[in-house]
Amino acid sequence: MGRRGELWVAAQGVLLLLFALAPRIGSPWPAHDIFRLVGWVLAGIGSLLLVWSALNLGHSLTPLPRPLPDGELVTSGAYGFVRHPIYCAVIIGTLGLSLATENWLRLALTGVFFVFFDMKASQEERWLQEQYPAYMAYKSHVKKLIPWIY
């Protein structure tokens, strides 16, 4: 997957492009106003979480899953609730946009995003454990992708 995880980033880009270009198929959803409202709220929450998470990382932020050699382990802020809040934010955001646009194909791709980010996070965590001895203790009390659940 590349020395720093370059293929993970390329695959993520392809998934985002597929999501953005996904055509709407089928008829309107029942109670579509509620789905749209909930969807836009979730999309907003995902956006805010994404920004908050990136700000929490500061100079340790990188698009690649391998941590920067001079990076620091961040365990506070959004990272106190979930180990991979940026991935969580994308999942929440894509779920929200899927509901807001009433798009079954996007909803299915949100499931693909969840599986993809779970796999990507597993690789990233191997690298984090190599670089930061304190990562194991952090991992034992903070959930991976969904706060307090998973």
Side-chain angles (χ1 to χ4, degrees):
M1 288 297 195
R3 192 175 64 77
R4 298 209 44 228
E6 297 86 352
L7 289 177
W8 285 108
V9 175
Q12 184 175 322
V14 169
L15 281 174
L16 286 169
L17 185 62
L18 289 173
F19 184 87
L21 299 176
R24 186 168 164 232
I25 54 176
S27 58
W29 294 6
H32 60 274
D33 288 338
I34 293 170
F35 281 108
R36 276 193 242 149
L37 176 64
V38 170
W40 287 120
V41 168
L42 287 173
I45 290 169
S47 297
L48 291 173
L49 179 58
L50 182 70
V51 171
W52 185 36
S53 304
L55 290 172
N56 288 164
L57 279 179
H59 78 278
S60 295
L61 180 63
T62 174
L64 300 168
R66 185 180 286 272
L68 296 171
D70 62 341
E72 297 175 21
L73 179 61
V74 177
T75 60
S76 61
Y79 293 83
F81 295 100
V82 64
R83 296 193 309 262
H84 300 277
I86 291 176
Y87 301 162
C88 178
V90 174
I91 293 166
I92 291 170
T94 56
L95 174 61
L97 288 173
S98 299
L99 296 176
T101 59
E102 302 177 68
N103 190 316
W104 289 107
L105 190 52
R106 283 183 174 166
L107 192 59
L109 284 169
T110 297
V112 173
F113 269 113
F114 182 85
V115 172
F116 173 81
F117 281 129
D118 188 43
M119 292 169 43
K120 182 180 177 188
S122 293
Q123 174 59 60
E124 186 173 343
E125 290 188 336
R126 286 190 283 278
W127 287 327
L128 288 164
Q129 286 171 199
E130 289 173 8
Q131 187 160 332
Y132 305 112
Y135 193 79
M136 285 302 288
Y138 167 65
K139 184 178 174 180
S140 71
H141 67 275
V142 177
K143 298 296 184 183
K144 187 177 190 179
L145 287 173
I146 303 172
W148 308 288
I149 298 171
Y150 177 76

